[in-house]
Amino acid sequence: MISVNEFKTGLTIEFEGDIWRIIDFQHVKPGKGAAFVRSKLRNLRTGNVNEKTFRAGEKVEKAQIDNRRMQYLYANGDDHVFMDNESYEQIELPSAQIEEELNYLRENMEVHIISFKDEILGVELPATVTLEVTETEPGIKGDTASGGSKPATLETGLVVQVPFFVNVGDKLIINTDEGEYVSRA
């Protein structure tokens, strides 16, 4: 058990029968009344984000999450195969469980598989990934100074807004949290 006063971003807790990761929190000490902690939590089973308010000093159960480094191998129908780099054990995850992460996964990419008591909760991606542009409108000379953007389709099917100077075949660094263009690779 931990006190809500010990909350940190990224900490995982068991609360109301689910596993939650703390995205954001704020300690509030109003002039009148008791102090409390306002927090934003992501449900690791469903991906939903909820805001919860806890009384200061309230105790919650800390969840022990296992993080295994695995390599994404390939899609097998509606399932996706991952392999442990040390034991060569393979697991399959359904597309529905990793729907959002599929926008960033490439074959042979290393990711972390998150599990809780032998229940696989999902895939944790690196902060940024490098993906190739497969389709976008050609850049027009002189457009680089305007600071505008255009849509570009990446090799995984993800569509992001990119500057006009980006062309088909360019490799781009994409932020996996926001799903936004960062720079050319």
Side-chain angles (χ1 to χ4, degrees), residues 130-148:
T130 303
L131 299 172
E132 186 175 330
V133 177
T134 57
E135 185 181 321
T136 189
E137 298 168 10
I140 300 169
K141 188 173 182 177
D143 272 346
T144 55
S146 66

Side-chain angles (χ1 to χ4, degrees), residues 157-177:
L158 179 67
V159 177
V160 295
Q161 292 295 318
V162 298
F164 287 123
F165 58 80
V166 172
N167 295 311
V168 173
D170 286 355
K171 294 198 180 290
L172 306 180
I173 298 174
I174 306 296
N175 178 324
T176 57
D177 290 332

Side-chain angles (χ1 to χ4, degrees), residues 4-5 7 27 29 36 48 53 64-65 84 91-92 101 113 118 124 128 141-142 153 155 160 162 167-168 180:
V4 296
N5 298 339
F7 273 8
H27 294 282
K29 296 177 185 164
F36 59 92
N48 294 340
T53 302
Q64 188 60 44
I65 299 293
D84 189 312
I91 61 167
E92 289 189 8
E101 290 85 353
I113 301 293
D118 297 331
E124 190 172 276
T128 60
K141 188 173 182 177
T153 305
E155 62 186 287
V160 295
V162 298
N167 295 311
V168 173
E180 294 177 349

Side-chain angles (χ1 to χ4, degrees), residues 48-135:
N48 294 340
V49 175
N50 288 348
E51 292 191 13
K52 301 280 184 191
T53 302
F54 298 93
R55 291 185 312 277
E58 193 174 337
K59 301 266 189 211
V60 293
E61 190 73 36
K62 184 176 180 182
Q64 188 60 44
I65 299 293
D66 294 323
N67 223 338
R68 289 173 48 194
R69 202 171 82 200
M70 298 186 99
Q71 182 178 20
Y72 174 62
L73 295 180
Y74 57 89
N76 182 14
D78 204 30
D79 291 334
H80 298 272
V81 181
F82 295 84
M83 179 183 71
D84 189 312
N85 293 338
E86 294 166 15
S87 68
Y88 302 109
E89 170 195 355
Q90 293 185 2
I91 61 167
E92 289 189 8
L93 295 178
S95 294
Q97 188 173 1
I98 57 171
E99 200 170 327
E100 186 66 32
E101 290 85 353
L102 287 175
N103 289 321
Y104 307 100
L105 281 178
R106 282 186 347 264
E107 288 184 3
N108 302 321
M109 182 176 169
E110 292 211 351
V111 296
H112 289 272
I113 301 293
I114 305 165
S115 59
F116 174 74
K117 295 182 181 174
D118 297 331
E119 173 193 358
I120 295 175
L121 299 173
V123 174
E124 190 172 276
L125 298 166
T128 60
V129 294
T130 303
L131 299 172
E132 186 175 330
V133 177
T134 57
E135 185 181 321

